[in-house]
Structures are given as structure tokens and as C-alpha cells.
Amino acid sequence: MQALNERITCLDGEIAALSSQQAAYRHLLTIPSVSPLITAAFISEVDAVQFSSGRELSAWFGLVPRQHSSGGKQRLSSVTKNSNRSLRT
């Protein structure tokens, strides 16, 4: 168990070192509570160029409510839970 914890610590350090060298990583790391590991997972999973807005990206992740609108009435239900579960977490 101790060897695994040491290996995890080593890999976390490598990810942090690599993320400090990339411009895209540095921009995401300015967001509060975003770690190098979250940044690496996001960049490896998402091509942000395909989304025209933050809402579209959030919808792709499944972080926004599902919309059921009809007749001018806007009704929102629970979040959609689309996309990669581990990335959404």
C-alpha cells in the first residue's frame, strides 16, 4: 500500500510538472479548485474548440438541467448526466 501511495505521489508530481509547461494547462489552473490532474483529464477528453459557448460545454458534460419547453413555458428538470462519468465527477 505504501509503495502504491508513493507511486501515486510521484505521478501527481509528474503531471504537475508537465501542466506547468503547457499554456492551455496554465489557463485552466487559474480557476479555483482545479488541480493539475483535473486539468490533464479535461484536456485529454475534451476538444473545447467544438463548443461555441460554456453552456454547450456544460450540457455536453451533463452539468446543466434538461430543458422541456413548450408554448413559451420554460421548464427545467434534473441534470442530464451525459458524457464521461469520471470526468463529470
Side-chain angles (χ1 to χ4, degrees), residues 30-73:
T30 61
I31 301 169
S33 302
V34 174
S35 70
L37 183 60
I38 292 170
T39 302
F42 178 82
I43 289 177
S44 67
E45 184 73 26
V46 177
D47 180 19
V49 178
Q50 66 187 0
F51 302 105
S52 63
S53 67
R55 174 135 177 108
E56 282 186 14
L57 178 62
S58 297
W60 183 81
F61 269 115
L63 299 175
V64 296
R66 179 169 283 150
Q67 186 173 6
H68 299 284
S69 300
S70 175
K73 291 185 178 181

Side-chain angles (χ1 to χ4, degrees), residues 55 58-59 62-68 75-82 88:
R55 174 135 177 108
S58 297
L63 299 175
V64 296
R66 179 169 283 150
Q67 186 173 6
H68 299 284
R75 292 179 292 181
L76 301 175
S77 63
S78 62
V79 294
T80 59
K81 297 184 180 176
N82 291 334
R88 192 175 61 248

